[in-house]
Amino acid sequence: MVMGEKIRNWLDVRIGLNELIRTQLAEYRVPKNINVFNALGTIAFVGYLIQAISGMFLMIYYIPHSDHAFKSVQDIMTIAPYGWLFRQMHVIGSNLLIAAVILHMVTIFLMGNYKRPRELTWISGALMLLLTFTFGLSGYLLPWTQLSYWATTIVTSIPTAFPVVGEYISRLFRGGDYVSGITLTRFFALHVSILPPLFLILMAVHVALIRRIGLSATPFGKSDEEKRPLTEFRKKTHPDGYPYYPYLVQKQALMVIVYFMVMFAFITFAPTFFFPEATTVPADPFRTPETIRPEWYFLAPYQMLKLIPNKFLGISMLIVVAFLFVFWPFLDTQKEKNIFRRPVLRWVFISLMIGWVILMWWGKR
Amino acid sequence: MRRRGFLKALLTFFGTVSLASFAYPLVRFFAPPSSSAVNEKVVLAKQEIPIGGSKVIVFNDKPAIVINVPGKGLIALSKVCTHLGCLVEYDKDKNRLVCPCHAGTYDLQGNVISGPPPKSLPKIPLRVDGEQIIIG
């Protein structure tokens, strides 16, 4: 008996490995019309894994102190062997991850998979996206560059739009009146020790809900059963579907390869794409750079804040948009999942996308 | 009340009180220490700021600017934009202060001309004593 088989047998008699593999991979059936977009959740999962591992590597050299943070990041890029690789993977990975999660949410939206009984799955996913943005924001300050310093100044000023508690919340984030070394320590703690467990809990809930409720069939070209009255729990199964392994696993593997290809294409051919000039200058609390732009995923809200003449109104609108996004399944109560049969929703979606792109382009100018 | 019900109520009460007793220490723990620099004075030599010129200073731990406005004299303003906290820059040619972050503009008295800032830049008291400018 070869060693691998011996280990497998050892595990089988203790934890029932063979049964676990059979029930969770081979006998677990997925709908026949499932497509590569259903693998975007796996992409997001792999993306988070890359962030966690590369982040751990960076922590070995990074010093979370305002006197040393910038230098330590420069050292990671120039002195630490292959430090540039792991930093690039972390920075480019964070951008790709956000793109993948947004794409995942968009496809879920288009396929109507947020509808009952999957409202909680959508909410947990939406909260994970908001946490991912928070990861991005908290990580942004850590290199202590001009861009990170002033972007954090702007973000931590946002609560001041609200009377009574606004100033307190702003000071809570900053640890004082303005962004300083105390803010850096707080953001570091947030980035590496507060957000990860929160995120893992949400991810566990999200995956557990997907497995508990069952995968939804793609609604295009085929009617789905979710129009039935929802009076009792019934797990969605696909007895006539394909086995999860190898059918969907292959699609997921393909998408993961594409994800890595895009990441390494950036690292190889456009290594400075996500590093504008202000990210190479150490933070100067007494000079705001002449051109300061947030990351691409914050350009639209940035431009919105610029256009709306009232600070309270602008920030309140952003909060309302986030609230609508998270609780959307409770606002769209129509049973029809196929967006091609929902002209109003289709036009709302197209208008929102066009508006988002215009605001992004305008903000970038 | 039965014994089980009484114990349940007691457990709920003490559980709630125990958890609530952490609220105040937590709020205090996260509350940042208040700034130590208040009502400080900054002294500049008058010749440091010619007419039309300006000087950036640190007042009460925050950046401020002293401008010698042609025809109107000296004025000291906070440099912190009232919109989202970026630092305004003095545009000498256009006689205004501009925030590079969200394009808020102020006149040289600190009043909002355009853009999203909700209020004027705070003025800092200033007096001229002989050849000295005393700010604060």
Side-chain angles (χ1 to χ4, degrees):
Chain A
M1 200 183 281
V2 289
M3 183 59 91
E5 211 172 314
K6 271 186 186 170
I7 293 171
R8 192 172 165 156
N9 279 343
W10 190 90
L11 284 170
D12 189 42
V13 293
R14 281 161 182 83
I15 61 165
L17 183 67
N18 289 339
E19 189 211 358
L20 205 64
I21 291 171
R22 195 183 70 244
T23 54
Q24 300 303 309
L25 295 177
E27 287 178 7
Y28 176 46
R29 301 272 160 168
V30 296
K32 279 184 173 168
N33 62 354
I34 209 160
N35 53 44
V36 283
F37 294 110
N38 288 78
L40 281 168
T42 310
I43 292 289
F45 175 75
V46 172
Y48 286 117
L49 215 59
I50 294 169
Q51 292 310 105
I53 295 168
S54 57
M56 285 173 202
F57 291 168
L58 295 178
M59 265 203 291
I60 292 168
Y61 287 96
Y62 176 71
I63 305 169
H65 187 284
S66 53
D67 291 345
H68 306 287
F70 182 78
K71 174 83 168 53
S72 67
V73 172
Q74 297 306 303
D75 288 349
I76 288 171
M77 293 296 277
T78 54
I79 296 173
Y82 290 98
W84 60 270
L85 175 66
F86 298 117
R87 169 122 200 274
Q88 287 275 26
M89 284 179 79
H90 199 71
V91 173
I92 293 171
S94 69
N95 285 280
L96 292 184
L97 171 63
I98 287 172
V101 177
I102 291 174
L103 201 59
H104 180 44
M105 301 293 288
V106 167
T107 53
I108 293 293
F109 181 89
L110 289 176
M111 292 193 277
N113 286 344
Y114 54 86
K115 288 182 176 291
R116 56 172 218 173
R118 298 185 177 78
E119 299 97 328
L120 292 175
T121 320
W122 170 272
I123 290 173
S124 58
L127 291 176
M128 276 159 77
L129 177 62
L130 297 183
L131 269 192
T132 310
F133 286 146
T134 318
F135 262 117
L137 276 174
S138 54
Y140 213 53
L141 180 66
L142 304 187
W144 203 243
T145 64
Q146 268 292 67
L147 190 62
S148 60
Y149 183 92
W150 290 104
T152 308
T153 297
I154 293 170
V155 171
T156 52
S157 296
I158 285 177
T160 59
F162 298 97
V164 190
V165 291
E167 286 290 336
Y168 176 81
I169 297 170
S170 175
R171 286 169 59 83
L172 195 78
F173 280 118
R174 291 177 173 177
D177 295 329
Y178 47 89
V179 175
S180 66
I182 302 170
T183 323
L184 180 65
T185 319
R186 284 179 180 225
F187 273 50
F188 181 68
L190 188 69
H191 195 70
V192 305
S193 69
I194 299 170
L195 291 177
L198 286 179
F199 189 83
L200 283 176
I201 292 168
L202 274 178
M203 188 184 266
V205 169
H206 192 69
V207 173
L209 284 170
I210 292 168
R211 294 306 291 252
R212 180 73 184 146
I213 298 168
L215 279 179
S216 171
T218 313
F220 308 125
K222 186 183 174 185
S223 64
D224 206 9
E225 96 303 349
E226 267 94 9
K227 287 174 191 165
R228 69 184 161 85
L230 200 66
T231 50
E232 59 179 347
F233 173 72
R234 200 189 303 162
K235 185 173 177 170
K236 171 81 174 165
T237 54
H238 306 277
D240 60 336
Y242 293 130
Y244 173 69
Y245 178 81
Y247 189 73
L248 185 57
V249 170
Q250 282 177 341
K251 286 189 195 304
Q252 289 172 332
L254 172 76
M255 292 297 270
V256 169
I257 291 168
V258 171
Y259 186 78
F260 272 103
M261 277 170 62
V262 174
M263 176 186 280
F264 281 94
F266 271 112
I267 293 176
T268 312
F269 302 111
T272 56
F273 191 81
F274 293 108
F275 294 94
E277 199 194 336
T279 61
T280 57
V281 181
D284 180 356
F286 295 104
R287 195 181 67 82
T288 306
E290 268 177 35
T291 49
I292 179 164
R293 301 271 181 280
E295 288 285 326
W296 61 271
Y297 45 87
F298 285 131
L299 277 172
Y302 159 82
Q303 187 61 26
M304 239 173 93
L305 283 180
K306 221 168 159 178
L307 292 175
I308 299 171
N310 184 294
K311 180 177 166 181
F312 178 74
L313 189 69
I315 290 162
S316 301
M317 267 184 76
L318 287 182
I319 291 170
V320 169
V321 168
F323 198 80
L324 290 177
F325 166 69
V326 174
F327 295 104
W328 179 251
F330 298 109
L331 300 169
D332 176 20
T333 51
Q334 281 213 21
K335 287 173 188 168
E336 180 57 63
K337 283 175 78 178
N338 192 340
I339 200 162
F340 293 118
R341 294 190 199 129
R342 302 273 311 271
V344 176
L345 184 67
R346 196 166 64 231
W347 283 110
V348 167
F349 175 77
I350 292 170
S351 316
L352 279 175
M353 286 293 115
I354 292 172
W356 187 266
V357 171
I358 290 173
L359 282 173
M360 262 180 82
W361 166 79
W362 200 348
K364 185 77 186 161
R365 282 174 68 208
Chain B
M1 188 187 274
R2 297 180 70 117
R3 195 171 63 169
R4 191 179 291 269
F6 173 73
L7 285 174
K8 241 186 210 172
L10 207 65
L11 193 68
T12 311
F13 175 75
F14 281 115
T16 312
V17 168
S18 304
L19 281 176
S21 63
F22 278 100
Y24 181 71
L26 270 177
V27 170
R28 286 303 308 268
F29 178 76
F30 288 118
S34 53
S35 173
S36 55
V38 280
N39 301 324
E40 65 174 19
K41 285 200 181 341
V42 178
V43 180
L44 299 173
K46 216 173 152 187
Q47 76 249 24
E48 281 184 68
I49 314 171
I51 292 172
S54 68
K55 186 163 177 71
V56 176
I57 58 163
V58 179
F59 179 74
N60 282 351
D61 278 349
K62 287 176 189 162
I65 187 165
V66 185
I67 308 169
N68 195 343
V69 186
K72 287 181 181 167
L74 290 156
I75 187 164
L77 298 166
S78 164
K79 271 198 96 186
V80 182
C81 178
T82 56
H83 181 223
L84 290 173
C86 294
L87 299 185
V88 296
E89 290 298 327
Y90 173 40
D91 186 337
K92 198 175 167 182
D93 299 331
K94 292 182 180 166
N95 272 335
R96 61 186 190 171
L97 293 148
V98 185
C99 176
C101 291
H102 298 93
T105 54
Y106 303 84
D107 67 18
L108 295 186
Q109 298 299 308
N111 304 312
V112 181
I113 300 173
S114 66
K119 52 188 177 187
S120 311
L121 291 171
K123 278 186 186 139
I124 300 165
L126 167 153
R127 65 190 167 87
V128 179
D129 189 0
E131 285 305 301
Q132 285 187 325
I133 306 165
I134 300 160
I135 301 136

